[in-house]
Structures are given as C-alpha cells and as structure tokens.
Amino acid sequence: MATSDEESLCKLPLGFAGEIVTTVLYTSLTIVGSLGNIFMILAIHRTPTLRNVCGILIANVAVSDLMVTAVVMPLIVYILIQGFFDKCIIHAPNFAAWVIALFSASSSLLTLTTLSVDRCFAICHPMKHKTIVTVSKAKIAIAMTWIKSLTLPLLETFYTGSALAKFLQVIGLACSYSIIIVSGIFTIRNVRANSRQIRSLHQDQGTSRLAADLSQRNKQVAKTIALVVVVFTLCWIPFAYLTGIEISEDRNDRIYFWFATVGLANSTVNPWIYFCRQPNYRKALKSLLRCKRGASN
C-alpha cells in the first residue's frame, strides 16, 4: 500500500465517496458506451443499405467514440484505484488518457463537420450528390480526418500548454462550427422550400407522395445530425473553456475533472441517439441482436 504522503499524489482530489461513485459511473459508461458503439459499427457493416456515405461517416464517429469508451474510460478507472496498489503509476495513464481523448474529440468534431456538409449537399443538390459524392471519396475524407486529428495530440505531447496549441484549438473550433452553422442554415432553407413545393403539388399524387417521403427522410437525418452536434457541443464546451483560458495553479481540480467527465460521456450517448431517432438504424440493431441471439442458441 502507498504511504499517506504518496497517497495524495496517487489519487484524484475526489475523496473516498467521490472515488466510489466515479468508479461505478465510469464503469457503467464504459460498458454502455462500448456496446453502443460496437453495435453501431456492426449494424452498418452488416446492413448493405447503411453502407453509404452517411453511414460510413457515422461509423467513423462510432470508432472515435469507441476509443474513449474502451480505452480512455478504463484508464481513468485505473487511475481512480491507484491508492490501493503498492506501486503508484498515475502520470503515464493520465497523459495517455488525455492525449487519446484529444485525438478522439478532434476526429469526432471533424467527422460531424463533414457529415453536416454532406447532408446539406444531399438535400440541396440530391442528383449532384449521388454522382459526385461516392463511398471511395468518403473513405479518403475519413483518412484525412484522422491525419488532421493528430495535430492537437502531437502539440500536447511536444509543446504542452503552449500558445500555439491553444491558438490552433481555437481556430479549429471556430472553422468547424462556422462550417456546421452555414451548412445548417442552407439545409433549413432548402427543406422549407421543398416543403412548400410539396404542399403545392396536387395534380400528380404519386409524385407528391414520393417527394414527401424523400423530404421527410432527409429532414429526419438532418435533425438527428443537428442533435448530435448540439449534444457534442453542450458536453465539451465547459471543458474546452477551462482548457482554453489561462488557469492559475490553484484551480479547482474537482470541477476540472467533472467537466472532463461530461465531455467523455458524450461518446456513450452518440450511438443511442441514432438508434432512438433513426428507424433504419433501429431496425438494423434489432436484426443484429436477433442474429447474435440465434447464433448463441
């Protein structure tokens, strides 16, 4: 067991009750989040109709979230129980969790930005989208997303707390959210215009029904992506604010930790938003679970 002097260095400033609650919380988030993201990846992989551009981008978000739920959160649980071991190893897992979380959050935000642009293009110019945006191009965009996501972890590794890292973080956030907001504005304008056109169609009921169904599906997907972006923002903006400003040495580490917990919890929520709001993803999940149950029987 660690001595009383070493114990304070091997534990987070949460107190005994806080450690118990946090350990249970992170263990639950790890299980629920990992299962949700694995189910999302498998559902898209096993369902041909979901292996389109939008589905591949959503699967990439699930991969980013799985890094948090399957790697970062178990590392934090390990850090929480450091005081119960003879040897204290806290700095290495703490730094690894921080770098991987940065990598995952950057990848998620860049992928959500790409998703917003893709859905805007699909709704505003559906015919051009089918011919221009292909699965191969989406895979290239995903590869570029992962490469760009390495920027912040590398800066944090070699230039910890530098002004350059903070500057690039602010610029990256501003650019991503500007693109998302502009894409959202164009999407909303186009959806409203299409809705007015559909309501004015009375001669050809078949065409009207087909256009209405297509418009409804596009609106549902756009609303789901918008909800995911809003939840991502609400979860990460408190922690981003704390890390983006100059913080004195006597900062409240407990608040810092809980803000980080809210941000990490976003990786658990994302897949279940799609399963709850999108009928095709919910149907794919049910099919996947039936297949798993049948195989076990």
Side-chain angles (χ1 to χ4, degrees):
M1 292 290 292
T3 64
S4 58
D5 293 334
E6 294 172 343
E7 191 174 358
S8 61
L9 299 176
C10 295
K11 287 188 175 184
L12 296 173
L14 300 173
F16 181 76
E19 288 179 356
I20 299 299
V21 172
T22 309
T23 301
V24 174
L25 174 62
Y26 269 93
T27 302
S28 303
L29 290 175
T30 297
I31 296 171
V32 175
S34 297
L35 286 176
N37 288 302
I38 290 172
F39 286 156
M40 176 62 72
I41 295 169
L42 290 178
I44 293 174
H45 175 72
R46 295 172 64 93
T47 309
T49 55
L50 296 181
R51 291 199 299 268
N52 50 25
V53 173
C54 184
I56 290 174
L57 291 173
I58 292 174
N60 191 57
V61 176
V63 172
S64 300
D65 290 336
L66 187 61
M67 291 172 58
V68 172
T69 58
V71 180
V72 175
M73 289 184 178
L75 283 173
I76 294 176
V77 172
Y78 175 76
I79 293 170
L80 286 168
I81 60 176
Q82 278 292 304
F84 299 101
F85 294 105
D86 292 333
K87 189 176 181 180
C88 174
I89 305 174
I90 188 172
H91 298 293
N94 189 26
F95 180 75
W98 168 239
V99 170
I100 296 173
L102 272 180
F103 186 40
S104 172
S106 300
S107 176
S108 295
L109 180 58
L110 291 175
T111 306
L112 289 175
T113 304
T114 306
L115 259 172
S116 301
V117 174
D118 174 74
R119 288 301 87 196
C120 177
F121 189 31
I123 292 173
C124 296
H125 304 284
M127 299 308 297
K128 290 182 178 180
H129 181 269
K130 287 184 177 181
T131 57
I132 295 176
V133 182
T134 62
V135 173
S136 299
K137 292 180 180 178
K139 292 179 179 179
I140 294 173
I142 289 172
M144 295 300 297
T145 295
W146 286 106
I147 293 173
K148 293 176 183 178
S149 300
L150 287 171
T151 303
L152 284 181
L154 289 175
L155 286 173
E156 191 63 29
T157 301
F158 298 105
Y159 304 97
T160 305
S162 66
L164 177 61
K166 291 183 178 181
F167 174 76
L168 290 178
Q169 179 181 348
V170 172
I171 293 297
L173 286 172
C175 291
S176 295
Y177 277 102
S178 297
I179 294 172
I180 290 172
I181 292 171
V182 171
S183 299
I185 291 173
F186 279 105
T187 301
I188 292 171
R189 289 180 58 185
N190 191 271
V191 166
R192 289 180 176 178
N194 287 341
S195 298
R196 288 194 295 267
Q197 291 177 1
I198 290 171
R199 286 194 296 267
S200 66
L201 290 175
H202 299 288
Q203 292 82 7
D204 191 348
Q205 294 297 325
T207 303
S208 178
R209 171 58 57 185
L210 180 62
D213 292 341
L214 180 60
S215 177
Q216 184 62 32
R217 287 198 299 270
N218 285 334
K219 285 193 291 185
Q220 184 71 10
V221 173
K223 288 179 180 179
T224 301
I225 294 173
L227 178 60
V228 171
V229 172
V230 170
V231 173
F232 178 89
T233 304
L234 293 177
C235 288
W236 277 110
I237 197 168
F239 184 74
Y241 174 76
L242 283 182
T243 57
I245 63 174
E246 291 292 338
I247 303 175
S248 60
E249 293 296 329
D250 58 345
R251 71 184 184 190
N252 193 327
D253 288 334
R254 185 172 297 182
I255 295 178
Y256 194 86
F257 175 82
W258 284 114
F259 278 2
T261 299
V262 173
L264 295 174
N266 173 254
S267 298
T268 300
V269 175
N270 281 338
W272 302 109
I273 293 177
Y274 289 105
F275 288 137
C276 291
R277 288 189 54 85
Q278 292 298 114
N280 50 349
Y281 284 90
R282 189 163 56 248
K283 182 179 178 182
L285 175 63
K286 292 178 180 179
S287 177
L288 177 66
L289 294 178
R290 283 197 298 267
C291 180
K292 296 283 185 183
R293 194 173 301 141
S296 62
N297 291 335

